Amino acid sequence: MAIVASVRAQDIQAIAERLDLQRYEFPQEKIHVMTDRGAYLSGDTIRLRAWVVDAATHQPVSASKFVYVELLSPTDSVCERVKIHQGDDGVCEGYLLIPDDLPEGRYQLTAYTLFMQNAGYDYFCRQPVEIAGLMSLKRRIAAQCVRFGEEVEVRLRYMDLSGQPCEFSEFYYLNRYGFMKSRDGGNGEAQFTLKGKEAQEPFVLVEIDGYAKYIPLPPSHKVLVDFYPEGGYLVPGVENAVAYKMHDPGNMTVEASGELVDEQGTVVAPLLVEHDGMGVVRFTPRADCRYTARWRDNFDEFTTFDLPQVRTDATVVQVRREGDSLNLRAVGARAAGSLLVLQQRGRYVAQGYESLAIDPSQLEPGVVQAMLFDEGWHCLSERLFYAAGKELPSVPLVTDRNDYNDREHVKVDMDLGELTREAGSHCAVAVVDDNAAVATDGNIYSNLLLQSDLRGYIHDPGYYFEQGDSVDAHERGRHLDMLMLTQGWRRYDIPRVLKGLVAEPQYPLEVSQVVTGRVLSEFRKKPLANAEVGLIIPKLEYADVSTTDSLGRFSVPVPLMPDGVDCVVIAMNDKGKKQINLELAEEQYPENYYLIDAGSSSGLTANVQEEQAWRLVNENDWRHVRLDELVVTAAWRRHMPSVETKRYLTADDIQKLGITSVDGALRAIGVTNYEKVNITIDGEPLSDIYFTDTETFKQALTMTLAQTDWKNDKIKRIKYAPFETGSDYDLSDVSIADGFISMQNVDFIDFRRGRGGKVSVNFSSKAVTDKVWKEPSRYVKIAHPMGAQQPVEFYSPRYDQGDCGIEPGNDLRRVLYWNPSVKVGEDGKASFDFYASDAHNTTYAILVEGVTPDGTLVRSTRQVTKR
């Protein structure tokens, strides 16, 4: 009875205070990313704007100073990663360069802060990105995949844009385990058979004469179905709702129908898949009966599944919509006296005993969690539902006309009205040509109100927020409730919170860039406390000193650095002796997974690709050079596919291209992501090699200068340098250590791309004889922290100032305008302008998204016609 009295004493304020305390101790972040469009070509640039908001209020926050954006392939590999600095004004803009040899397919754009690891990768921002290969501008790879039991037969057609077959010299296919198999060439057609694990994968990577593409594979004949009783259990004597979702091993939904039968084989209800593999059946279970779902799939085969057992001891919460009201009630064994608690994004909404009626229009739009508790705060049941809440704001976009001619000025005005009266509001704007580009799949509503509060990936979340008539809206509402029945909310463990057990974050906020590591004693290799660690950044002329803790760990803050800047680190014990065992911590990134459906229909249709091809061929602007057709009569040189391509530079190449550093050489051979690339110089790892005499001395001396006043102790400190030097060295030049690696005596650089990649740099015999390269210093380490990306401005021609160097008829831009930060005045008004291109008979899609300082989400679209 004491427990009962304790529970009864809980009131609204007590429950709300515990939820508030949890959010105070462990605030969470969400990210929404808007891109300039949704489909690209290899070699394109993805322009993006990210908003970091408080997960509970959606108000912009800037506690995490850095946002990481990754381009993830269907093999879970990170193709590109950038680090973007978020300023105090909340503007977080950047870009991502797509490698020009990236295979064609459906990729995943992922954005997160390091602090978001506390909630888990399920809550990272994800959106699909369609990428077409450059070869698709002249060729096509069409695939027909047929499954025969545990094998898949793949037939490929290689053709030109008109559909005529093309001859090819060779083709390859590669599975996700890295095993590659090759086949001979042919005339327009190729085929192969996948077996075992290869046949169970959702895709296979093929390459024909350098044209690489991910091919989706058909699912297994076996139908997989998950059942989700409302509230978690089937309870007897009352109508139950059971949601179900069909899927295959690759998470590609299938459409089928079936029936629900009891133990006697009597059909209780039909089972119909309504949307995205989901459906719901309502029936009244009997306590002494087992129920089975019997399914006939698309292959005319029957599969049966047992539903969960009916529980006479269970209690569940049910949600029913009646008119304009939402009615929640507890049913089952312990319904009497049970407590209903509603929370939304970690904030208290309402509570009541046994039943509760609420007006959804009074709620904020988004996911609401209903939980049912007994007297001891044990959670009996939970149910998610979506509250449409207050109507999402509509921001009109007004143009001076509805249609435009070549290069005419387009001015757009928008008025946020009462949505904002605060300084600091800004929106991102993208204008794309509908004929040559695909609008972004990103949707600030579906992401921040739906996807970011649910675990896993939701296919086409924007569908639930489409505008339409009342019938369509009702259908989408039913489908959205099916989604709620099949998902889970786990940002906080609410039952533990209401018991007074508050969770704390494991990962800290990233408020600045730091270099970390530890120092061990020279002989016993024990953690060395109170060691002095000095750091110098020659390019920035910056130095700082830190001290190790009792575990030998150190953390040295560094200023905001652009990517590609190195830091020199040296350690000394408390007696001033340099320490050999200095270890630098490697930067850690969260484990990430490809959660996008690789087999979903592509927005990059054949018509769009053909339009892009025509524009690239006819465009003669500042980005392209048009060449006459070149006919090669030499024999075809066999090559490995792009997944294993060898690239190299000779000494002559290095001289002709004017390459002066290994970094420049790597860029020249296409290495843009160094994290998984192993670099060796004359067989030794790059991290262990210490450059030329002069540069090494500069680093060591500069490091010494960071720790003492060298003018008063010049001779003594120079003796501490790891390399000897003449006394006539010009000390005024010590801060110009901006090119550590000389290419003067490099003989050959080879890059082999595969699982990770390997770069080998070999020096000529003269380089070894002259001892240009030395053994590494035992006392100095070089840190290579990932720097922040420097923003670049999107170029949009201003034809009021002339032709901008673009001849009439040659302006065929796909993205007309991109501005990640359009300032909104305190009167709620903003405007932007751009100039029409020379493309004819098309429409421009204008998309505006943003978040006001008070957390109001803004989204608006408009189309104008281009004659």
Side-chain angles (χ1 to χ4, degrees):
M1 294 300 295
I3 294 179
V4 174
S6 175
V7 171
R8 295 297 178 180
Q10 299 293 333
D11 56 13
I12 293 176
Q13 183 177 358
I15 295 176
E17 285 178 352
R18 290 186 178 181
L19 290 173
D20 289 344
L21 176 62
Q22 175 62 90
R23 288 188 292 106
Y24 176 80
E25 294 291 341
F26 185 2
Q28 295 193 15
E29 298 170 327
K30 292 180 179 179
I31 289 183
H32 171 65
V33 172
M34 174 182 168
T35 56
D36 59 335
R37 47 196 157 121
Y40 302 84
L41 283 171
S42 298
D44 263 341
T45 299
I46 301 175
R47 300 174 183 88
L48 56 93
R49 163 69 193 273
W51 288 269
V52 183
V53 300
D54 178 79
T57 65
H58 291 162
Q59 293 176 329
V61 292
S62 58
S64 290
K65 293 300 183 183
F66 300 96
V67 171
Y68 297 83
V69 182
E70 298 174 348
L71 184 65
L72 205 65
S73 78
T75 60
D76 290 334
S77 63
V78 178
C79 305
E80 292 293 320
R81 177 188 289 122
V82 295
K83 180 178 181 179
I84 305 173
H85 178 248
Q86 183 184 197
D88 293 334
D89 58 357
V91 176
C92 188
E93 60 175 292
Y95 61 93
L96 194 148
L97 300 176
I98 303 174
D100 56 10
D101 61 348
L102 208 62
E104 184 173 310
R106 189 177 179 86
Y107 290 76
Q108 174 180 289
L109 197 70
T110 306
Y112 58 87
T113 67
L114 295 184
F115 187 73
M116 289 176 66
Q117 295 177 89
N118 292 293
Y121 66 84
D122 276 316
Y123 300 103
F124 292 175
C125 176
R126 304 175 189 274
Q127 67 183 56
V129 174
E130 305 285 350
I131 297 179
L134 290 174
M135 290 285 288
S136 68
L137 302 178
K138 285 186 170 291
R139 299 286 186 265
R140 291 284 188 273
I141 296 179
Q144 181 183 18
C145 304
V146 181
R147 180 174 290 279
F148 299 98
E150 299 302 314
E151 298 182 356
V152 176
E153 186 177 280
V154 182
R155 297 186 180 93
L156 304 176
R157 292 183 59 215
Y158 187 57
M159 51 191 174
D160 59 22
L161 300 185
S162 66
Q164 296 300 311
C166 298
E167 292 187 1
F168 59 91
S169 298
E170 55 190 359
F171 83 90
Y172 303 80
Y173 69 90
L174 184 79
N175 63 25
R176 69 184 302 159
Y177 304 104
F179 299 115
M180 179 184 62
K181 300 180 181 179
S182 62
R183 296 290 186 272
D184 294 332
N187 183 19
E189 293 189 359
Q191 68 179 51
F192 57 93
T193 301
L194 300 174
K195 302 178 181 180
K197 289 184 178 180
E198 291 181 343
Q200 304 306 316
E201 293 297 315
F203 60 86
V204 64
L205 177 61
V206 303
E207 182 172 325
I208 300 179
D209 282 359
Y211 184 178
K213 182 177 181 177
Y214 288 106
I215 304 295
L217 299 180
S220 170
H221 285 195
K222 184 178 180 181
V223 175
L224 301 178
V225 184
D226 291 325
F227 294 91
Y228 305 89
E230 183 180 24
Y233 307 98
L234 286 177
V235 295
V238 295
E239 184 183 70
N240 284 232
V242 180
Y244 45 88
K245 184 166 186 177
M246 306 179 62
H247 58 86
D248 69 271
N251 266 342
M252 293 187 291
T253 58
V254 296
E255 304 295 329
S257 62
E259 52 197 18
L260 181 68
V261 298
D262 59 17
E263 293 174 333
Q264 289 73 41
T266 303
V267 176
V268 177
L271 302 176
L272 299 175
V273 174
E274 295 189 50
H275 174 71
D276 200 22
M278 298 182 296
V280 65
V281 60
R282 301 181 186 274
F283 70 105
T284 302
R286 301 195 309 269
D288 57 348
C289 186
R290 295 296 302 265
Y291 295 88
T292 302
R294 188 168 59 193
W295 228 279
R296 183 191 297 272
D297 64 19
N298 290 341
F299 304 99
D300 205 29
E301 296 178 357
F302 275 110
T303 307
T304 60
F305 302 91
D306 292 333
L307 266 67
Q309 185 176 358
V310 180
R311 296 278 298 273
T312 58
D313 61 338
T315 310
V316 299
V317 56
Q318 295 183 338
V319 179
R320 298 292 181 266
R321 298 180 184 271
E322 299 178 5
D324 294 332
S325 177
L326 274 177
N327 295 326
L328 294 83
R329 63 170 184 161
V331 298
R334 290 180 284 178
S338 56
L339 177 66
L340 272 167
V341 177
L342 271 62
Q343 70 85 22
Q344 185 181 43
R345 303 198 289 268
R347 297 188 298 177
Y348 172 84
V349 174
Q351 70 177 36
Y353 288 99
E354 300 175 25
S355 65
L356 186 63
I358 59 174
D359 181 358
S361 66
Q362 300 303 309
L363 301 178
E364 293 292 329
V367 178
V368 180
Q369 183 185 31
M371 291 161 292
L372 194 64
F373 295 94
D374 66 8
E375 295 86 349
W377 286 113
H378 301 114
C379 188
L380 304 175
S381 173
E382 67 174 304
R383 163 77 147 93
L384 297 184
F385 63 91
Y386 186 86
K390 304 171 185 176
E391 185 177 358
L392 295 173
S394 176
V395 178
L397 300 178
V398 181
T399 56
D400 52 347
R401 298 200 308 276
N402 291 325
D403 50 70
Y404 297 86
N405 293 315
D406 291 357
R407 306 194 178 192
E408 284 191 330
H409 183 240
V410 183
K411 186 174 184 297
V412 185
D413 295 313
M414 59 180 178
D415 188 352
L416 275 65
E418 296 299 325
L419 293 180
T420 180
R421 287 289 184 258
E422 300 180 55
S425 295
H426 35 70
C427 297
V429 177
V431 182
V432 300
D433 189 319
D434 286 333
N435 279 357
V438 178
T440 173
D441 286 344
N443 185 315
I444 198 168
Y445 293 154
S446 62
N447 187 10
L448 294 183
L449 298 179
L450 184 65
Q451 173 74 74
S452 61
D453 279 331
L454 300 177
R455 301 183 68 177
Y457 174 71
I458 299 173
H459 177 255
D460 192 17
Y463 160 80
Y464 304 104
F465 294 85
E466 290 177 358
Q467 301 296 321
D469 57 32
S470 58
V471 177
D472 293 337
H474 178 72
E475 281 292 293
R476 285 193 297 272
R478 286 197 316 104
H479 297 163
L480 183 54
D481 198 53
M482 294 176 191
L483 181 69
M484 295 296 99
L485 287 166
T486 60
Q487 295 290 330
W489 194 96
R490 291 294 181 273
R491 281 191 173 272
Y492 299 114
D493 188 340
I494 300 299
R496 285 178 55 86
V497 174
L498 297 186
K499 291 178 183 179
L501 302 174
V502 177
E504 295 182 354
Q506 175 184 356
Y507 299 93
L509 288 164
E510 188 181 17
V511 297
S512 65
Q513 293 177 293
V514 295
V515 173
T516 60
R518 64 173 184 164
V519 180
L520 305 178
S521 61
E522 185 168 355
F523 299 107
R524 301 182 63 189
K525 294 182 174 56
K526 299 291 185 180
L528 196 62
N530 300 318
E532 189 177 75
V533 179
L535 176 143
I536 183 73
I537 308 176
K539 282 189 177 181
L540 303 184
E541 299 185 1
Y542 174 86
D544 200 356
V545 178
S546 180
T547 304
T548 60
D549 61 15
S550 60
L551 299 178
R553 299 173 303 190
F554 66 87
S555 177
V556 186
V558 297
L560 183 64
M561 296 192 307
D563 203 13
V565 175
D566 293 338
C567 304
V568 184
V569 185
I570 190 170
M572 292 186 179
N573 63 20
D574 54 5
K575 297 180 180 180
K577 182 179 179 182
K578 293 187 291 293
Q579 295 302 300
I580 296 176
N581 296 313
L582 167 63
E583 298 179 356
L584 298 180
E586 293 185 3
E587 291 185 290
Q588 299 293 323
Y589 303 100
E591 194 171 15
N592 208 348
Y593 297 96
Y594 181 91
L595 295 179
I596 302 297
D597 182 0
S600 297
S601 58
S602 171
L604 194 61
T605 63
N607 290 338
V608 173
Q609 286 183 283
E610 290 174 8
E611 181 76 16
Q612 288 184 340
W614 180 86
R615 294 191 185 207
L616 287 180
V617 169
N618 291 276
E619 193 172 14
N620 185 24
D621 65 6
W622 60 96
R623 294 167 298 174
H624 302 90
V625 177
R626 185 177 178 181
L627 300 177
D628 294 332
E629 182 176 0
L630 177 65
V631 179
V632 179
T633 58
W636 177 267
R637 179 180 177 183
R638 294 183 63 85
H639 71 287
M640 301 292 283
S642 62
V643 293
E644 283 286 332
T645 298
K646 279 187 176 180
R647 302 196 182 107
Y648 60 88
L649 292 172
T650 65
D652 290 340
D653 296 329
I654 293 169
Q655 184 176 3
K656 290 178 181 178
L657 296 174
I659 296 172
T660 59
S661 68
V662 168
D663 185 65
L666 297 183
R667 287 197 297 269
I669 58 179
V671 182
T672 57
N673 184 0
Y674 304 144
E675 297 161 14
K676 297 184 178 180
V677 175
N678 175 32
I679 303 177
T680 63
I681 298 182
D682 281 345
E684 298 294 334
L686 177 61
S687 59
D688 293 339
I689 296 176
Y690 228 81
F691 319 125
T692 65
D693 287 357
T694 302
E695 297 298 346
T696 302
F697 174 70
K698 284 183 181 180
Q699 296 166 42
L701 182 58
T702 310
M703 188 70 258
T704 300
L705 299 183
Q707 301 178 26
T708 187
D709 182 359
W710 63 271
K711 293 181 179 180
N712 297 331
D713 200 9
K714 177 178 177 182
I715 304 300
K716 179 180 178 181
R717 290 298 177 180
I718 287 181
K719 290 181 179 179
Y720 283 163
F723 291 91
E724 297 180 358
T725 185
S727 58
D728 57 348
Y729 188 83
D730 183 8
L731 294 178
S732 64
D733 194 40
V734 296
S735 63
I736 315 176
D738 57 351
F740 290 157
I741 303 177
S742 170
M743 291 287 99
Q744 183 177 359
N745 294 300
V746 172
D747 185 57
F748 190 81
I749 295 181
D750 176 76
F751 171 46
R752 178 181 290 274
R753 182 173 180 176
R755 302 187 68 182
K758 180 178 181 180
V759 176
S760 299
V761 182
N762 300 319
F763 279 77
S764 64
S765 57
K766 180 180 183 297
V768 176
T769 303
D770 293 346
K771 297 182 179 180
V772 174
W773 293 82
K774 300 291 186 179
E775 290 297 322
S777 166
R778 301 183 301 166
Y779 304 108
V780 181
K781 297 289 185 181
I782 302 296
H784 311 279
M786 185 178 186
Q789 187 181 72
Q790 299 296 299
V792 295
E793 184 176 356
F794 175 81
Y795 177 76
S796 183
R798 305 287 309 186
Y799 288 127
D800 58 339
Q801 302 174 8
D803 63 6
C804 300
I806 309 172
E807 296 182 4
N810 288 334
D811 181 0
L812 304 175
R813 289 169 291 149
R814 289 163 287 171
V815 179
L816 281 296
Y817 181 77
W818 165 257
N819 190 335
S821 181
V822 174
K823 180 70 174 179
V824 179
E826 293 188 26
D827 59 355
K829 296 182 179 180
S831 63
F832 55 92
D833 64 316
F834 59 94
Y835 286 81
S837 69
D838 296 334
H840 297 159
N841 301 321
T842 186
T843 56
Y844 297 156
I846 305 173
L847 171 63
V848 176
E849 288 190 339
V851 183
T852 66
D854 65 356
T856 301
L857 309 184
V858 176
R859 175 178 167 83
S860 188
T861 60
R862 174 173 168 76
Q863 279 190 329
V864 295
T865 302
K866 171 61 176 59
R867 298 191 188 98

